[in-house]
Amino acid sequence: MKRSLSAPLGLPLVPHPHNNPPSVAKIELGRKLFFDRRLSINRTMSCAMCHVPEQGFTNWELSTAIGVEGRSLKRNSSSILNVGHLNVLFHDGRDHALETQFIGPLTARNEMANPSAGYVVTLLSKLPEYALMFEDAFRAQASLDRIGMALGAYQRSVLAGNSPFDQWYFGGDETAVSADVKRGFQIFTGKGNCSACHLIGDDHALFTDERFHDTGYGQMREAERQNPPTSIPVQVAPGVVHEMDFSKIHSVSAKREADLGRYEVTEDPADRWRFRTPSLRNLTVTPPYMHDGYFSTLSEVIEFYDQGGSQISSQDPRIRPLGLTGVEKRDLEAFLQSLTSPDLGCLISEARVLPPDNH
């Protein structure tokens, strides 16, 4: 509750909807809902299965998320760290509020697979512990809007600022970061022009403009989807990799869908291949990277942008070859690593205060 109403160094105050002010009871209810596997059709999946606290509230093991019964999704799980500051949600911006965002994953066939949102409301109304918690939080019984309000209240409490960068840049502590971090910051705001989309303000930085851009990456990945390799490396043990015929993998896999980004929301041809600018905070604990989790390391991401994206003519003109030296790339990565909050351990401990409900 206290964290929801305060601003860690480097972050602004979280904007709370006027009709959903935070309370301890709401946050506790939202946290229980977030970790409850009973909210999926077969009682195996919770929100936290894709947004794992120990993994930056995302999932390190999977490039793209997996729903009930192993059903595939085409996008990487976004972290919920600092999500309360965002005005557009999902990689394609298809929702604008935490109070309504949860409905899609609850009912999507390849996510939690409930037949309807009302089905979940009915389930919660039959669980005695939830009757008490909804009464405590809202003085009312479970309903769709109150589920969203509780989840929103919890997620707005998951804040992670006060990084070494914040302590240096906003706090004035020259000893908080090393010289390579400071050089990397100069590349970020200068030669690399990264700050054109990953914004830094005078007294805080969300590191996103919350707009949608075509970096050339989406088109590149679609071209690869349409022209798959003949073989693919498969790691079977640490350091043990075998080349496997791709056709064998394809024969037992769901067909990979095209991903047109923002276009899938607006159906405006101008929005093809555009995706929301992600925040860069806590990158070291939220791999893999890009909307489909294709890049495993920050160095791979830096290489992609240093070469000018995929150099497709229609990509955003700000994505251009940078010509960074090896030292400059390492300095830039050091800067990105300095955006990691020291408060993550506290968030993990709070998230795991109760065992998950899966019975």
Side-chain angles (χ1 to χ4, degrees):
M1 174 69 174
K2 182 179 179 182
R3 188 169 55 241
S4 294
L5 297 175
S6 61
L9 184 64
L11 292 173
L13 284 169
V14 173
H16 296 278
H18 71 276
N19 64 343
N20 190 26
S23 71
V24 172
K26 284 183 190 176
I27 292 171
E28 290 179 347
L29 172 57
R31 181 172 58 209
K32 183 175 178 66
L33 290 165
F34 193 85
F35 287 88
D36 197 334
R37 298 183 186 185
R38 294 172 296 180
L39 270 61
S40 65
I41 188 64
N42 60 2
R43 301 191 172 199
T44 62
M45 290 290 299
S46 69
C47 304
M49 299 286 284
C50 291
H51 305 281
V52 183
E54 293 81 2
Q55 300 183 13
F57 289 88
T58 180
N59 194 313
W60 296 342
E61 283 85 10
L62 300 171
S63 295
T64 56
I66 299 294
V68 297
E69 298 182 337
R71 297 170 191 168
S72 300
L73 281 72
K74 64 183 178 182
R75 292 180 183 160
N76 177 250
S77 298
S78 299
S79 174
I80 68 163
L81 290 170
N82 303 320
V83 72
H85 289 292
L86 300 181
N87 296 300
V88 288
L89 304 171
F90 296 103
H91 294 288
D92 56 18
R94 64 183 181 271
D95 214 312
H96 293 261
L98 292 171
E99 280 72 16
T100 53
Q101 171 274 330
F102 73 100
I103 298 174
L106 273 182
T107 57
R109 181 65 179 162
N110 59 348
E111 295 189 57
M112 299 174 80
N114 288 288
S116 70
Y119 180 89
V120 179
V121 175
T122 300
L123 168 67
L124 292 175
S125 68
K126 294 178 180 178
L127 297 173
E129 70 269 35
Y130 275 113
L132 293 172
M133 296 186 77
F134 274 97
E135 180 64 27
D136 192 23
F138 298 105
R139 299 294 183 264
Q141 62 186 5
S143 66
L144 188 62
D145 60 335
R146 294 176 193 122
I147 295 170
M149 292 167 78
L151 283 168
Y154 170 61
Q155 291 180 85
R156 290 189 182 93
S157 76
V158 185
L159 300 175
N162 192 34
S163 68
F165 166 78
D166 296 318
Q167 295 167 31
W168 165 60
Y169 189 74
F170 296 117
D173 183 356
E174 291 295 328
T175 66
V177 298
S178 58
D180 55 346
V181 170
K182 295 175 183 178
R183 293 193 303 267
F185 176 68
Q186 294 302 316
I187 296 167
F188 185 85
T189 57
K191 185 175 180 180
N193 197 32
C194 314
S195 59
C197 297
H198 298 283
L199 305 183
I200 301 173
D202 294 333
D203 56 6
H204 66 265
L206 296 180
F207 289 98
T208 174
D209 59 6
E210 293 200 78
R211 296 181 178 178
F212 302 90
H213 302 285
D214 175 5
T215 64
Y217 177 82
Q219 294 187 67
M220 179 189 78
R221 292 291 286 144
E222 174 59 12
E224 292 174 357
R225 184 188 75 87
Q226 293 186 23
N227 298 278
T230 56
S231 65
I232 187 170
V234 176
Q235 180 172 299
V236 295
V240 181
V241 178
H242 295 303
E243 286 290 327
M244 180 174 287
D245 191 319
F246 187 79
S247 64
K248 294 181 180 179
I249 296 176
H250 183 72
S251 67
V252 295
S253 303
K255 184 179 180 181
R256 186 178 155 204
E257 298 179 32
D259 194 339
L260 300 179
R262 181 67 173 164
Y263 172 82
E264 297 181 9
V265 176
T266 67
E267 297 194 9
D268 180 346
D271 284 332
R272 287 187 181 126
W273 317 115
R274 292 182 177 178
F275 294 87
R276 177 177 57 83
T277 304
S279 173
L280 301 181
R281 286 188 173 273
N282 302 295
L283 277 178
T284 56
V285 296
T286 58
Y289 306 108
M290 314 305 276
H291 67 267
D292 61 352
Y294 182 63
F295 293 142
S296 300
T297 65
L298 287 175
S299 60
E300 290 176 292
V301 178
I302 291 171
E303 287 293 340
F304 173 78
Y305 286 109
D306 179 54
Q307 69 185 17
S310 58
Q311 301 190 36
I312 295 172
S313 60
S314 60
Q315 72 184 29
D316 191 305
R318 285 170 290 192
I319 308 299
R320 52 178 175 72
L322 301 176
L324 299 179
T325 66
V327 172
E328 288 173 328
K329 292 175 185 177
R330 289 191 292 273
D331 288 345
L332 181 56
E333 184 167 351
F335 162 70
L336 295 174
Q337 291 172 344
S338 79
L339 303 180
T340 303
S341 172
D343 301 329
L344 296 173
C346 178
L347 294 176
I348 293 168
S349 297
E350 289 183 2
R352 297 299 189 188
V353 69
L354 294 173
D357 295 299
N358 57 358
H359 55 276

